[in-house]
């Protein structure tokens, strides 16, 4: 719901050209994309330090294209090995049936999320990112109608452009009128396991599948492995237990009954400081189609725009694409606005944000739809939904890895 400003002069503490709310992957990438185009921005991040929640991130070819445009891909490639092939292991009553796991064409690697965050942050001017700055509301200045952000300390900041990269619980997405994301019926545990003498998994992406439980495992380096586990969500997963590493490890190991022993040992050996459990939230494909992701000079990107479950591993890659496209659209229009008056410049800015939304809408719709069908298949409480998901994938997505071939274009 939009916050209504009182009809009086606001005591503005500071004025900014462009403010990015949220310093996660999308927020930092957007700031860097703008910086590469010679456009200054300020990032407000509520955490006191860069966020590493989520542990690892699977980066597919489309994501690497965006990282190349941002100029940080060469540095990041040095931190992780390439994964050329995959293996699908069906687990049933202690027996394992292996087959090839198609990975699509091009570069696939698993990044440490913190390495990605550091690479983005270090490429930005030192004064760009403001940590420990929590945005609590957004209103309109009653005189100028410019958007105004209220911080946790009651500071009021007027901005010509506001970009909401503040995640699934985005304050900015509510302001522009986007429905809140829905809670999915499954949760995901993620972790890193370090092997001092080197891990035994080689360079393959392994995906184990059993009734109600899926376990994925990817090498980051020759000694570090990233794993993720999805299972049915319970009420205990929604309380403070989800922050307890002991609980996360215990329920994860219990879920792996009948899985290969080396996978169970991998989870048991996970670093407690690199262990996370999260519920999964998503926007429906039809929400993506009808949502107004922009209101005037306020717009959303990343999970604030297209929250999706991780079943096709595109949340991070799509957010990087958002950053490149948004900076490109803004740069092109702002060049035209240099000689414009205030109202003329504002109109061109709104046009630029509109072009960005138009370009991204169908891309994230198809990603959302494919993820939605995958969710129906994994939601094994209904045979009808499972069948609908299978049929949807077959009829709509003949090549289920085509989403990795996408190119968001030059910055």
């Amino acid at each position: 719901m939009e916050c209504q400003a009182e009809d009086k002069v606001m005591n503005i503490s500071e004025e900014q050209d462009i403010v990015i709310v949220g310093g996660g992957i999308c927020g930092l990438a957007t700031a860097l994309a703008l910086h590469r185009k010679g456009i200054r921005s300020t990032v407000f991040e509520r955490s006191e330090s860069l966020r590493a929640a989520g542990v690892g991130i699977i980066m597919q070819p489309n994501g690497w294209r965006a990282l190349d445009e941002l100029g940080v891909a060469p540095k990041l490639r040095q931190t992780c090995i390439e994964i050329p092939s995959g293996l699908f292991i069906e687990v049933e009553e202690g027996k394992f049936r292996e087959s090839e796991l198609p990975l699509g064409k091009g570069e696939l690697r698993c990044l440490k999320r913190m390495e990605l965050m550091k690479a983005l942050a270090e490429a930005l001017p030192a004064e760009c990112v403001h940590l420990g700055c929590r945005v609590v509301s957004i209103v309109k200045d009653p005189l100028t109608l410019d958007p105004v952000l209220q911080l946790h300390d009651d500071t009021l900041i007027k901005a010509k452009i506001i970009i909401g990269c503040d995640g699934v619980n985005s304050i900015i997405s509510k302001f522009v009128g986007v429905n809140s994301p829905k809670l999915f019926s499954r949760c995901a545990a993620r972790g890193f396991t370090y092997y001092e003498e080197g891990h035994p998994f080689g360079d393959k992406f392994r995906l184990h599948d059993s009734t109600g439980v899926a376990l994925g495992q990817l090498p980051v380096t020759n000694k570090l492995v990233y794993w993720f586990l999805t299972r049915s969500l319970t009420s205990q997963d929604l309380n403070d237990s989800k922050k307890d590493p002991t609980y996360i490890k215990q329920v994860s190991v219990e879920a792996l009954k009948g899985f290969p022993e080396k996978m169970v040992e991998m989870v048991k050996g996970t670093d407690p400081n690199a262990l996370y459990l999260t519920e999964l939230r998503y926007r429906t494909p039809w929400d993506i189609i009808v949502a107004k992701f922009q209101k005037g000079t306020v717009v959303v990107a990343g999970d604030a725009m297209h929250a999706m479950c991780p079943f096709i591993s595109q949340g991070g890659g799509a957010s990087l694409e958002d950053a490149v496209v948004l900076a490109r659209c803004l740069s092109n229009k702002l060049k035209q606005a240099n000689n414009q008056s205030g109202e003329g410049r504002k109109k061109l800015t709104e046009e630029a944000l509109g072009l960005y939304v138009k370009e991204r809408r169908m891309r994230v719709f198809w990603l959302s739809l494919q993820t939605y069908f995958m969710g129906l298949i994994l939601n094994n409480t209904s045979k009808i939904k499972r069948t609908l998901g299978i049929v949807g994938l077959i009829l709509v997505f003949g090549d289920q890895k085509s989403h990795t071939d996408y190119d968001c274009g030059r910055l």
Side-chain angles (χ1 to χ4, degrees):
M1 179 180 292
E2 178 181 341
C3 299
Q4 298 295 325
E6 296 181 16
D7 189 17
K8 63 180 181 180
V9 177
M10 303 185 75
N11 186 20
I12 302 299
S13 308
E14 188 178 333
E15 295 191 13
Q16 297 276 353
D17 286 336
I18 301 177
V19 171
I20 298 169
V21 181
I25 290 173
C26 188
L28 294 182
T30 301
L32 180 54
L34 291 169
H35 176 62
R36 298 282 190 222
K37 301 297 286 186
I39 302 171
R40 295 179 58 184
S41 65
T42 301
V43 179
F44 289 151
E45 165 53 39
R46 63 186 300 163
S47 299
E48 298 292 337
S49 59
L50 295 179
R51 287 180 283 140
V55 188
I57 180 168
I58 300 172
M59 197 59 63
Q60 303 185 81
N62 59 296
W64 284 108
R65 293 187 186 103
L67 289 171
D68 277 322
E69 291 301 314
L70 293 171
V72 296
K75 182 177 183 179
L76 288 169
R77 288 187 176 102
Q78 297 175 22
T79 69
C80 54
I81 64 175
E82 189 165 0
I83 302 171
S85 61
L87 195 62
F88 180 77
I89 301 101
E90 194 172 355
V91 180
E92 187 174 356
E93 297 180 354
K95 297 180 180 179
F96 318 120
R97 184 163 60 247
E98 297 183 353
S99 59
E100 181 184 359
L101 177 67
L103 298 183
K105 302 174 183 178
E107 185 176 10
L108 173 69
R109 299 173 190 260
C110 183
L111 284 166
K112 293 178 71 174
R113 183 175 290 260
M114 184 51 79
E115 292 287 355
L116 174 56
M117 298 287 285
K118 285 169 54 180
L120 295 170
E122 289 171 359
L124 287 167
E127 70 278 6
C128 179
V129 182
H130 294 247
L131 298 172
C133 292
R134 181 164 56 90
V135 174
V136 296
S137 69
I138 176 172
V139 299
K140 284 184 178 180
D141 186 308
L143 298 180
T144 66
L145 299 183
D146 288 333
V148 177
L149 295 171
Q150 180 184 0
L151 303 187
H152 65 286
D153 59 0
D154 292 329
T155 299
L156 295 179
I157 296 178
K158 182 187 291 187
K160 294 176 182 176
I161 301 171
I162 292 177
I163 304 170
C165 302
D166 45 341
V168 294
N169 297 313
S170 169
I171 291 173
I172 309 304
S173 66
K174 292 177 181 177
F175 174 81
V176 300
V178 182
N179 291 334
S180 296
K182 298 179 181 295
L183 180 66
F184 192 59
S185 60
R186 297 173 72 81
C187 62
R190 301 176 174 93
F192 278 139
T193 305
Y194 184 78
Y195 294 77
E196 183 65 41
E197 304 300 323
H199 62 72
F201 304 112
D203 58 3
K204 289 184 180 294
F205 176 3
R206 286 176 169 80
L207 181 62
H208 295 75
D209 183 70
S210 182
T211 303
V213 178
L215 174 70
Q217 170 261 311
L218 302 91
V220 180
T221 67
N222 294 326
K223 293 186 176 183
L224 186 67
V225 170
Y226 166 67
W227 61 267
F228 61 88
L229 182 150
T230 65
R231 57 172 176 80
S232 295
L233 183 70
T234 68
S235 57
Q236 195 168 359
D237 297 326
L238 294 172
N239 61 31
D240 288 341
S241 295
K242 68 179 181 181
K243 299 178 183 178
D244 179 7
T246 303
Y247 169 77
I248 299 171
K249 188 175 292 190
Q250 176 189 334
V251 294
S252 296
V253 169
E254 290 173 356
L256 293 179
K257 184 178 181 180
F259 278 66
E261 186 59 32
K262 63 181 179 180
M263 292 298 163
V264 177
E265 291 302 316
M266 176 187 69
V267 173
K268 287 182 178 179
T270 301
D271 178 0
N273 295 319
L275 194 56
Y276 293 87
L277 176 66
T278 56
E279 63 267 23
L280 304 180
R281 297 184 183 274
Y282 68 100
R283 298 200 194 286
T284 61
W286 40 93
D287 270 347
I288 298 291
I289 286 292
V290 303
K292 297 185 184 300
F293 296 121
Q294 172 201 5
K295 177 182 286 188
T297 58
V298 181
V299 75
V300 290
D303 284 349
M305 183 187 202
H306 48 69
M308 64 183 82
C309 294
F311 307 137
I312 62 173
S313 303
Q314 279 292 2
S319 295
L320 294 170
E321 293 173 6
D322 291 345
V324 172
V325 175
L326 180 50
R328 182 173 65 229
C329 291
L330 266 178
S331 175
N332 291 339
K333 286 290 184 180
L334 290 183
K335 287 177 182 177
Q336 301 175 29
N338 285 337
N339 299 320
Q340 294 282 337
S341 64
E343 281 304 312
R345 185 180 179 88
K346 184 176 181 180
K347 182 178 180 182
L348 285 171
T349 299
E350 292 178 358
E351 289 178 4
L353 298 180
L355 288 172
Y356 152 74
V357 170
K358 182 178 180 181
E359 182 171 342
R360 294 303 293 158
R361 188 183 299 277
M362 291 312 298
R363 165 62 172 166
V364 296
F365 165 75
W366 291 116
L367 292 176
S368 175
L369 183 61
Q370 186 170 354
T371 305
Y372 182 76
F373 284 146
M374 290 290 293
L376 291 178
I377 294 171
L378 292 169
N379 187 349
N380 57 1
T381 58
S382 169
K383 290 183 178 179
I384 294 176
K385 289 183 177 180
R386 183 177 175 85
T387 301
L388 179 61
I390 293 171
V391 172
L393 280 181
I394 293 173
L395 293 181
V396 181
F397 300 98
D399 178 1
Q400 294 179 28
K401 289 297 177 180
S402 62
H403 59 88
T404 69
D405 295 334
Y406 184 83
D407 189 341
C408 63
R410 298 298 300 272
L411 179 58

